Amino acid sequence: MEDKRITKRLNLKGVAEKLGVSTATVSNAFNRPDQLSKNLREKILSEASRLGYHGPNLAARSLRRGRSDVIGVMLSDSLTYSFSDPMANQMLQGISEVLMEYNKQLLLFYEGKDNTAQSSAESLPDGFIFYGSSNLETFKRIVALGKPCVTIDYVQDKIPSVGIDDRSAAKKIAMHAISQVNHGTVAILGMKLVVSDRVCRLTQDDLDEKSVEISRQRLLGYFDAVTENDLTIPPESIWSVPFNTEKYAKIAAKEAFSSSLHPNIILCMSDVIALAAISTAQSMGLNVPKDVIIVGFDDISEAKHASPSLTTVCQQNAQKGKVAAKMLLENNLTNCILETKLVVRQSSSPTN
Amino acid sequence: MEDKRITKRLNLKGVAEKLGVSTATVSNAFNRPDQLSKNLREKILSEASRLGYHGPNLAARSLRRGRSDVIGVMLSDSLTYSFSDPMANQMLQGISEVLMEYNKQLLLFYEGKDNTAQSSAESLPDGFIFYGSSNLETFKRIVALGKPCVTIDYVQDKIPSVGIDDRSAAKKIAMHAISQVNHGTVAILGMKLVVSDRVCRLTQDDLDEKSVEISRQRLLGYFDAVTENDLTIPPESIWSVPFNTEKYAKIAAKEAFSSSLHPNIILCMSDVIALAAISTAQSMGLNVPKDVIIVGFDDISEAKHASPSLTTVCQQNAQKGKVAAKMLLENNLTNCILETKLVVRQSSSPTN
DNA sequence: TTGTATGCGTTATCAT
DNA sequence: ATGATAACGCATACAA
């Protein structure tokens, strides 16, 4: 019978008691301004705030309303990796811009060892945005919740998605690169082309694999350009970088430059990879772009500042997040393909 | 009397009914493995999952338990800005690494026009991490909730904080810069030194202002070094950049280089500012470091790749987030000052 | 080991 | 305009 909690946290009921009104009235003050006089409402709000009550408890409120005003974003890798990835950051910028506008909160989810641990939290958000290729099990589990979902850079049947035309963008930049030299010997530094945690070259079997992953689309785009120029790329000229980081990219780049292929065109599936390739080339005594042309994909901010500056494909990454969030919040669930732009800079201009 | 929801979402009770056990047993299967046989538990978990029930509803569970396993992170600016800031990202990397380990979820808060809109959500997290100088009202409101709080790069009485010794780090790099030239004429490109949304120079009054903001500490550190070298910096040689972005930094840098001061040492309070200053100097025909030495603060990844590479202060930013999160989750609330390191690169080495 | 009952804080319905 | 009350889904004390 003792009072366990000396100071029990103030709740809506407590506020109602202290102000001598009913709980319904306080609730209405917060949620339905039209249900009470303006005077009373303002008095309640200011008094409540003075008492230290700043709004209904989220857990209770969303339990009751079946809505939390929280949006979940599922990042396709660990949070730690995602925050280090410029692309993910730009995308999150776009999402958050819209969420701020709509007064929604952002709950971040991630792929982890134990993906059941967070499944409890999956019940909270009113909707989800998936960024990148998610774990299929997790993806299905969340979609099965029946809440609105949008994917970014990840295509799944019946789920609205936001992305770019990776194949044609890849073709575009490859065409440009090939046009810059007389005799092109092409190598590709791709991203996550095969399932492995290590840098590795592809084999013929890998090429035959069908997949809708964006990396595959980019690969097809490169092939389109190569074929159109009567060139070929054997699988040994294609590297798969497991993570979009400088470290892994350098390993791949070093292998490419040390190989007997002597490529003079390196098509990279990300700017991070391309920048690492430039730096690797330079440290091996190669001149970019005179000895080797290197192009990227994404147009991250470093691309412009690098030396030589990087030729790449500009994709409106923040816009992706913005569009996805808007689709979710305005319940306008449809597919959206954003435009890309070829940005020619020094790394592909040997004649200057 | 009609059935409004054709398919009511499955809940714990529903699972219990379908499996022919009590709700308590299902609950125990998820929360207290020791309360039932291993066999039964596994059967319940797998059956539940098969039925599409993947864990207790977060709202209901945290309402009941008074705990959500969600950690709130308050970013000192808009989310959009924070995600564009390399420092904030590194810090978030550190936080998320620990949260993943402890199976916690991350709910992001931000300073916005209407900071009451998210106050409802503030009731959910079990604890908060504040990054950077928060709005004092919001800060106090959250602290008043009585939940564990930790600040990063923000010092407030009685709240445990994680940071660096900004003053001595600033002094260290300033001493180095000054030692590199014969006759130093110093200009400072500071960050948020005064309350303004525009780039502006300081006045004597601004200098007299006391403040614990980290920018002020860095300023004091610069002064320490200047004084020790029998130099002076008039307030007109100090610029305040309102946001840590290239755009604003370039405006300030241009003013600094165009002024009659002709500074040959530029002390920048961030790498973003310093890199913008380098690029501005170069576009104005100045050679860095021969004509002017430029140093930064932070050691973001671009610092190493810039040309010339940037001399700066390396602060373990991810570590800050890691430490703060650990303090929160291990309930080990204390203060922590992390080490910094001077990183000398080309931008301050005119003799090479 | 399992089942029953209560309340967590809120909101919406309904009556006043 | 306001007040009483049931229900949201769950976890725990307690009884069996």
Side-chain angles (χ1 to χ4, degrees):
Chain A
M1 280 301 164
E2 49 181 344
D3 207 7
K4 289 276 184 95
R5 325 187 197 181
I6 310 295
T7 51
K8 186 176 160 178
R9 270 228 58 74
L10 193 58
N11 57 22
L12 186 142
K13 198 168 158 192
V15 172
E17 277 169 15
K18 296 217 184 192
L19 299 191
V21 297
S22 80
T23 61
T25 303
V26 179
S27 176
N28 284 333
F30 279 100
N31 301 300
R32 307 198 296 194
D34 53 312
Q35 296 296 299
L36 69 173
S37 71
K38 198 177 171 188
N39 273 345
L40 181 57
R41 173 163 192 261
E42 287 180 354
K43 186 187 147 200
I44 290 179
L45 292 184
S46 72
E47 284 295 294
S49 166
R50 211 177 44 74
L51 292 169
Y53 183 84
H54 303 282
N57 175 290
L58 178 60
R61 147 182 274 211
S62 55
L63 179 57
R64 172 62 227 224
R65 300 200 307 177
R67 190 163 67 81
S68 62
D69 290 330
V70 169
I71 297 299
V73 172
M74 172 64 76
L75 298 164
S76 56
D77 288 278
S78 75
L79 279 187
T80 308
Y81 171 75
S82 294
F83 284 129
S84 76
D85 182 21
M87 299 305 281
N89 283 317
Q90 285 179 18
M91 190 278 309
L92 285 169
Q93 279 177 52
I95 289 183
S96 53
E97 203 172 303
V98 177
L99 294 194
M100 282 167 59
E101 187 184 324
Y102 283 78
N103 274 315
K104 303 290 180 186
Q105 299 303 126
L106 176 55
L107 186 58
L108 291 178
F109 291 83
Y110 44 86
E111 305 286 346
K113 20 171 194 179
D114 186 5
N115 57 8
T116 61
Q118 48 183 354
S119 55
S120 200
E122 287 161 8
S123 60
L124 189 69
D126 301 331
F128 285 87
I129 295 175
F130 292 85
Y131 178 65
S133 319
S134 293
N135 172 286
L136 196 58
E137 191 187 333
T138 310
F139 178 77
K140 281 185 173 161
R141 184 178 67 219
I142 293 179
V143 168
L145 294 173
K147 301 175 183 178
C149 290
V150 178
T151 62
I152 298 178
D153 287 351
Y154 182 47
V155 179
Q156 283 286 323
D157 224 26
K158 297 186 185 160
I159 304 294
S161 83
V162 178
I164 59 170
D165 185 341
D166 285 282
R167 183 165 181 168
S168 78
K171 179 181 176 186
K172 192 158 52 175
I173 195 165
M175 290 296 286
H176 159 76
I178 295 171
S179 76
Q180 296 297 103
V181 298
N182 288 329
H183 268 295
T185 308
V186 179
I188 293 174
L189 299 186
M191 199 160 64
K192 293 184 187 169
L193 284 170
V194 298
V195 179
S196 166
D197 279 352
R198 302 182 61 86
V199 167
C200 52
R201 294 200 205 189
L202 266 54
T203 64
Q204 188 59 47
D205 289 353
D206 294 326
L207 289 185
D208 296 341
E209 195 116 335
K210 299 270 180 247
S211 163
V212 293
E213 304 285 328
I214 60 173
S215 298
R216 283 285 164 172
Q217 294 303 309
R218 295 186 190 172
L219 191 56
L220 291 177
Y222 291 155
F223 285 156
D224 290 343
V226 165
T227 307
E228 208 160 293
N229 284 278
D230 296 323
L231 300 175
T232 56
I233 309 186
E236 315 87 79
S237 303
I238 306 174
W239 277 260
S240 173
V241 180
F243 298 101
N244 190 30
T245 63
E246 187 182 6
K247 178 182 148 196
Y248 287 102
K250 281 193 168 172
I251 296 173
K254 198 164 183 183
E255 283 187 29
F257 291 126
S258 320
S259 77
S260 56
L261 302 164
H262 297 300
N264 59 2
I265 295 176
I266 310 278
L267 305 175
C268 303
M269 287 198 190
S270 81
D271 284 357
V272 168
I273 294 175
L275 293 172
I278 288 180
S279 137
T280 302
Q282 289 171 338
S283 74
M284 293 173 74
L286 294 171
N287 179 293
V288 184
K290 293 205 192 303
D291 299 327
V292 56
I293 280 179
I294 297 179
V295 299
F297 205 109
D298 293 341
D299 199 25
I300 64 176
S301 69
E302 282 109 317
K304 186 170 52 169
H305 296 121
S307 134
S309 57
L310 183 66
T311 292
T312 189
V313 172
C314 174
Q315 53 172 324
Q316 312 163 57
N317 223 40
Q319 189 66 14
K320 280 185 195 164
K322 220 165 152 178
V323 168
K326 277 228 166 102
M327 279 168 53
L328 207 57
L329 296 176
E330 295 170 355
N331 203 28
N332 170 29
L333 302 174
T334 155
N335 287 310
C336 175
I337 304 288
L338 296 176
E339 291 301 309
T340 58
K341 215 174 70 189
L342 174 64
V343 183
V344 177
R345 299 207 183 90
Q346 298 165 349
S347 72
S348 69
S349 308
T351 53
N352 287 354
Chain B
M1 277 304 163
E2 50 182 344
D3 208 6
K4 289 277 185 95
R5 327 186 196 182
I6 310 296
T7 52
K8 185 177 160 177
R9 271 228 59 73
L10 193 59
N11 57 23
L12 186 142
K13 195 170 161 191
V15 172
E17 277 168 15
K18 296 216 181 190
L19 299 191
V21 297
S22 80
T23 60
T25 304
V26 179
S27 175
N28 283 333
F30 280 99
N31 300 300
R32 306 196 297 193
D34 54 312
Q35 297 294 301
L36 70 174
S37 71
K38 197 175 170 186
N39 273 345
L40 181 57
R41 173 163 192 262
E42 286 180 353
K43 185 186 148 203
I44 290 179
L45 291 185
S46 72
E47 284 294 294
S49 167
R50 211 177 45 73
L51 292 170
Y53 183 84
H54 303 284
N57 175 291
L58 178 61
R61 148 185 272 215
S62 56
L63 181 58
R64 173 63 226 230
R65 300 199 308 173
R67 190 163 67 81
S68 62
D69 290 331
V70 169
I71 297 299
V73 172
M74 172 63 78
L75 298 164
S76 56
D77 288 278
S78 75
L79 279 187
T80 308
Y81 170 76
S82 295
F83 284 129
S84 76
D85 181 23
M87 298 306 282
N89 283 317
Q90 285 179 18
M91 190 278 308
L92 284 170
Q93 279 177 53
I95 289 182
S96 52
E97 203 172 303
V98 177
L99 294 193
M100 282 167 60
E101 187 183 324
Y102 283 79
N103 274 314
K104 303 291 179 184
Q105 299 302 126
L106 176 55
L107 186 59
L108 291 179
F109 291 82
Y110 45 87
E111 305 286 347
K113 21 172 191 170
D114 186 5
N115 57 7
T116 61
Q118 49 183 354
S119 55
S120 201
E122 288 161 7
S123 60
L124 189 69
D126 300 332
F128 285 87
I129 296 175
F130 292 85
Y131 178 65
S133 317
S134 293
N135 172 286
L136 197 57
E137 191 188 333
T138 310
F139 178 77
K140 282 184 172 164
R141 183 177 68 220
I142 293 179
V143 168
L145 294 173
K147 301 174 181 178
C149 290
V150 178
T151 62
I152 297 178
D153 288 350
Y154 182 49
V155 179
Q156 283 286 322
D157 225 25
K158 296 183 186 162
I159 304 294
S161 83
V162 178
I164 59 169
D165 185 341
D166 285 281
R167 183 167 182 167
S168 78
K171 179 182 176 184
K172 193 159 52 177
I173 195 165
M175 290 295 287
H176 159 75
I178 294 171
S179 76
Q180 296 299 102
V181 297
N182 287 330
H183 269 296
T185 306
V186 180
I188 293 174
L189 300 185
M191 200 161 63
K192 293 183 188 172
L193 285 170
V194 298
V195 179
S196 166
D197 279 352
R198 302 182 61 86
V199 168
C200 51
R201 294 202 206 190
L202 266 54
T203 64
Q204 188 60 47
D205 289 353
D206 294 326
L207 289 186
D208 297 340
E209 196 117 333
K210 298 270 179 247
S211 162
V212 293
E213 303 285 328
I214 61 173
S215 299
R216 283 285 164 171
Q217 294 302 308
R218 294 186 190 171
L219 190 56
L220 292 177
Y222 291 155
F223 284 156
D224 290 343
V226 165
T227 307
E228 209 161 291
N229 283 279
D230 296 323
L231 300 174
T232 57
I233 309 186
E236 316 86 79
S237 304
I238 306 175
W239 277 260
S240 174
V241 179
F243 298 102
N244 190 31
T245 63
E246 187 182 7
K247 177 181 148 196
Y248 287 102
K250 281 193 168 171
I251 296 173
K254 198 163 184 185
E255 283 187 30
F257 291 126
S258 321
S259 75
S260 56
L261 302 162
H262 297 300
N264 59 2
I265 296 176
I266 310 278
L267 306 175
C268 303
M269 286 198 190
S270 82
D271 284 357
V272 169
I273 294 176
L275 292 171
I278 288 180
S279 137
T280 302
Q282 289 170 339
S283 75
M284 293 173 75
L286 294 171
N287 179 291
V288 183
K290 293 208 194 302
D291 299 326
V292 56
I293 281 180
I294 298 179
V295 299
F297 205 109
D298 293 341
D299 199 24
I300 63 176
S301 69
E302 283 110 316
K304 185 170 52 170
H305 297 121
S307 131
S309 57
L310 183 66
T311 292
T312 188
V313 172
C314 173
Q315 54 173 324
Q316 312 164 57
N317 224 38
Q319 188 67 12
K320 280 185 196 165
K322 220 165 153 176
V323 169
K326 276 227 165 104
M327 279 168 51
L328 207 57
L329 295 176
E330 296 171 353
N331 203 28
N332 170 28
L333 302 173
T334 155
N335 288 309
C336 175
I337 305 288
L338 297 176
E339 291 302 309
T340 58
K341 214 173 72 188
L342 175 64
V343 183
V344 177
R345 299 205 184 91
Q346 298 164 348
S347 72
S348 69
S349 309
T351 53
N352 286 356

